[in-house]
Amino acid sequence: MMISGPRKPGNDINVYLSPLIENPTKLWDEGVLVFDGFRNKTFLMRAMLFCTINDFPAYGNLSGYSVKGHHACPICEEDTSYIQLKHGRKIVYIRHRRFLIPHHPYRRLKKVFNGSQEHETAPILLTGEQVFQ
C-alpha cells in the first residue's frame, strides 16, 4: 500500500492501516476456510503479517520509536554517534562505516568523510528480551 500526497499522515496513519490490522487479526485469531484445489477439500487457514517495508519516518509512526534526536538509530540505541552542527540545531549521524566489513576500502577514506578512518566494529544486536524491555 502506498500513501501518496504532499504531506505524511502522521498519527492519523491508523485510518490507512485499519484494514491491514483488522483482516490479519481475523486471519490469525479465527482463521478462514479456504478451498485447496490440489487436495480438493477445504482447510482452516491462519496467517500473520510478518514484516513491513517503509521509510524511516514511517518506521517511527508504525513502531512508536523516536526517529529524531540524539539516539534515533534503532540498532545503535545509546551508542548512536552524532554531532550537532555549529550554526543550527540540526543533528547529523556519523560513523556508519563501522557496519561495513572490517577491510572495506571506505573505512580508510578520510577526506571523503569526517577526516578520520573508521576502526570500530558494529554494535552488538539487541536480544529479543532487550527489545521487549
Side-chain angles (χ1 to χ4, degrees):
M1 169 175 64
M2 296 288 290
I3 300 173
S4 60
R7 296 182 304 150
K8 65 179 183 169
N11 291 333
D12 296 330
I13 197 162
N14 59 347
V15 172
Y16 293 98
L17 295 178
S18 62
L20 187 64
I21 300 301
E22 292 165 8
N23 294 337
T25 301
K26 180 180 179 184
L27 282 172
W28 182 254
D29 291 340
E30 302 169 23
V32 176
L33 278 177
V34 177
F35 181 75
D36 182 352
F38 182 75
R39 292 193 171 97
N40 203 23
K41 63 180 184 177
T42 59
F43 68 96
L44 185 65
M45 180 181 74
R46 295 180 187 267
M48 63 183 263
L49 178 65
F50 182 67
C51 68
T52 62
I53 299 173
N54 41 272
D55 62 7
F56 210 54
Y59 170 75
N61 278 345
L62 291 171
S63 68
Y65 190 88
S66 174
V67 293
K68 298 176 182 173
H70 294 168
H71 304 292
C73 179
I75 297 169
C76 301
E77 293 280 335
E78 298 294 321
D79 197 30
T80 300
S81 297
Y82 64 90
I83 56 173
Q84 194 152 354
L85 297 180
K86 292 178 186 177
H87 304 292
R89 294 178 300 205
K90 187 173 280 268
I91 297 171
V92 180
Y93 304 102
I94 57 174
R95 293 184 43 233
H96 290 91
R97 293 179 288 163
R98 63 187 168 156
F99 291 97
L100 297 171
I101 60 172
H103 298 292
H104 195 284
Y106 282 9
R107 284 179 166 266
R108 292 189 304 272
L109 294 178
K110 290 182 180 180
K111 193 174 184 179
V112 179
F113 293 98
N114 61 348
S116 65
Q117 292 184 353
E118 183 61 66
H119 300 289
E120 196 170 327
T121 58
I124 297 171
L125 294 176
L126 299 174
T127 65
E129 182 64 31
Q130 290 170 320
V131 170
F132 183 73
Q133 288 176 357

